[in-house]
Amino acid sequence: MARLGSWVRKNRIAVAAASLGISGSAFFLQGRGAGSAPIAATWKEALAILRQHQSITPVNRGRIRSFHVSHVASNSPAEDRHVQAHLKPSDSYLFSIIDGHSGWECAQRLQERLPFYLSCAVSGKNLTVGGLPVANWFERLTDSKSLLLPPVSEDGAAESRFQASALQFYEAVQKDGDSEVVKAIKSAVQSIDNDFSREALGGDQGALRVAASGAVSASAVVHGNELILANTGDCKIVLGFKNQDDNKYTAVALTSDHTVENSMEVARLRDGHPGERGVIAYGRLLGSLQPLRAFGDFIYKWPYDVVRRMFGTSPPNYLTPPYLTSEPEMHTRTLSNGDSFMVLATDGLWDELSPAEVVDIVGRHYNVLKGEAKRPSEMEENAATDLIVTALQSSCREKETTKRQEYTAALLKLPANVRRRYYDDITVVVVFFKSE
């Protein structure tokens, strides 16, 4: 997630091109730590990598037609996660995108808990589960195991922590749950982070690793004809709206980034910590953290003495904590017939493509899906994968297709200790809607 400023964000793949020379059909890497050996990277190999974690899932219930998912890793292990789940026993569906930082632990545990906590929030006191294990209280719609690296078994107590906290949350909802679904979802999202904190303070080492890492997330719950959005950090959700007058698709932002580029977020922090000049420094929270809202990252949340005791250090200018919150920004939208699809993605996509570019690409896929156009041979069947390919090629100055393919293949074949300098983990979920 770490980013080096506006120019570098927009041009980091172009910077990579300065380190990649073309010789025949192979790229040569000349960057530090990589040597000068040629990287045998064919387009066929690149496609195998790009399609490794893709899926297309038909739903055809309520307003949801289908959804496409795809992911390409930069970090090793990957720090992105995603969730698609039917929130039983309601007819609501959850779609979440998660971007971890400082490790994978917080992102993974957030991925595991979001479906259950939001099932409780949406169903409220109507959720009666008896003695079922919490894993049976919702239905995952895709297999996310490919992103669960390292395996859960490396933290043997993770499942027992989940079970204990989940039962406590379920009991709290049954006793005092909010009947207003938007408030209930907001409370559920914050409860996950509160549970992370409590578990870590209990001394469990696995829980402490969750507390030391962090994650941002954007979630969308399709609840009947309502779209309920909960955003913490700088993942982004964009809607594709079809204009009836010209049949073109318009990008509608459904979330706001919680970064220093958001003046309202900066004002919120300055108002909460008056007179503290260091609260925002070098474009980051306390000069260190890029997102201004996040899960985990309790080194920015706990009291000073607790931070020193648990971590042995503290951020600079740590005067009046907490500085960081996981509180999601909530929005709702009643779906109209023009609302055709939504795209959820981590910032690895949005750093390379604008919302308008993304909607234009997915709009072409939607036209094919509806039988209004034929799919061109160069278009990936999976809309999410197509977006990732376009993002990786966005800074390639070559116009010739084979050269752009070679460029993409070279990026994907960079060694793990090098590629993070050139592109981020990219995870994309595209949800296609039906008309009423």
Side-chain angles (χ1 to χ4, degrees), residues 302-315:
W302 285 334
Y304 176 82
D305 60 329
V306 176
V307 166
R308 298 290 297 187
R309 172 167 54 87
M310 300 299 286
F311 297 112
T313 186
S314 63

Side-chain angles (χ1 to χ4, degrees), residues 2 8 225 313:
V8 174
N225 210 38
T313 186

Side-chain angles (χ1 to χ4, degrees), residues 184-199:
I185 289 174
K186 182 177 183 179
S187 176
V189 170
Q190 288 184 274
S191 292
I192 296 175
D193 204 47
N194 293 339
D195 288 346
F196 286 162
S197 176
R198 176 178 49 78
E199 292 163 11

Side-chain angles (χ1 to χ4, degrees), residues 1-3 75 78-82 96-104 106-108 110 213-218 232-236 290-291 293-295 297 345-351 420 424-427:
M1 169 172 291
R3 296 183 290 179
N75 294 292
E79 294 177 340
D80 279 7
R81 298 291 188 271
H82 58 83
S96 297
I97 208 86
I98 303 166
D99 188 350
H101 51 262
S102 302
W104 53 268
C106 185
Q108 179 163 313
L110 183 59
S213 59
V216 296
S217 176
T232 298
D234 63 351
C235 291
K236 197 189 301 290
Q290 188 264 331
R293 302 192 194 194
F295 297 88
D297 289 320
T346 54
D347 62 357
L349 181 78
W350 306 111
D351 286 345
R420 182 58 183 86
D424 200 354
D425 293 340
I426 306 176
T427 304

Side-chain angles (χ1 to χ4, degrees), residues 69-327:
V69 179
S70 195
H71 162 85
V72 65
S74 171
N75 294 292
S76 182
E79 294 177 340
D80 279 7
R81 298 291 188 271
H82 58 83
V83 176
Q84 300 83 41
H86 175 199
L87 303 181
K88 299 187 299 186
S90 75
D91 204 25
S92 300
Y93 289 83
L94 167 67
F95 300 92
S96 297
I97 208 86
I98 303 166
D99 188 350
H101 51 262
S102 302
W104 53 268
E105 291 88 343
C106 185
Q108 179 163 313
R109 304 310 169 205
L110 183 59
Q111 179 200 46
E112 293 164 359
R113 299 191 186 201
L114 271 169
F116 168 75
Y117 281 66
L118 267 63
S119 286
C120 288
V122 170
S123 297
K125 296 181 180 181
N126 294 322
L127 181 61
T128 304
V129 295
L132 290 175
V134 296
N136 294 335
W137 295 4
F138 56 86
E139 178 186 359
R140 291 190 186 276
L141 298 178
T142 56
D143 180 7
S144 300
K145 291 180 181 178
S146 59
L147 299 184
L148 296 180
L149 299 171
V152 175
S153 59
E154 291 202 2
D155 180 2
E159 182 65 20
S160 60
R161 293 197 308 269
F162 178 18
Q163 293 277 347
S165 292
L167 287 170
Q168 288 184 27
F169 179 71
Y170 167 71
E171 291 170 354
V173 168
Q174 295 305 300
K175 181 179 179 182
D176 300 311
D178 200 309
S179 59
E180 207 282 300
V181 67
V182 176
K183 292 180 180 178
I185 289 174
K186 182 177 183 179
S187 176
V189 170
Q190 288 184 274
S191 292
I192 296 175
D193 204 47
N194 293 339
D195 288 346
F196 286 162
S197 176
R198 176 178 49 78
E199 292 163 11
L201 292 173
D204 183 283
Q205 289 301 304
L208 187 56
R209 288 194 294 270
V210 174
S213 59
V216 296
S217 176
S219 296
V221 175
V222 183
H223 184 63
N225 210 38
E226 295 296 311
L227 194 58
I228 304 171
L229 305 136
N231 179 47
T232 298
D234 63 351
C235 291
K236 197 189 301 290
I237 306 177
V238 170
L239 182 82
F241 176 82
K242 188 171 187 179
N243 300 293
Q244 299 303 316
D245 294 338
D246 57 10
N247 286 326
K248 293 183 178 180
Y249 295 96
T250 300
V252 179
L254 298 179
T255 57
S256 301
D257 291 354
H258 300 138
T259 66
V260 294
E261 296 170 1
N262 184 330
S263 60
M264 294 181 66
E265 282 295 289
V266 172
R268 175 183 64 80
L269 276 164
R270 295 200 185 282
D271 290 346
H273 306 275
E276 295 186 35
R277 297 180 61 184
V279 66
I280 300 290
Y282 309 108
R284 293 170 178 261
L285 179 67
L286 298 179
S288 299
L289 189 67
Q290 188 264 331
L292 303 184
R293 302 192 194 194
F295 297 88
D297 289 320
F298 288 100
I299 197 169
Y300 301 97
K301 296 175 181 176
W302 285 334
Y304 176 82
D305 60 329
V306 176
V307 166
R308 298 290 297 187
R309 172 167 54 87
M310 300 299 286
F311 297 112
T313 186
S314 63
N317 303 310
Y318 199 68
L319 305 176
T320 57
Y323 288 90
L324 186 67
T325 180
S326 63
E327 179 181 354

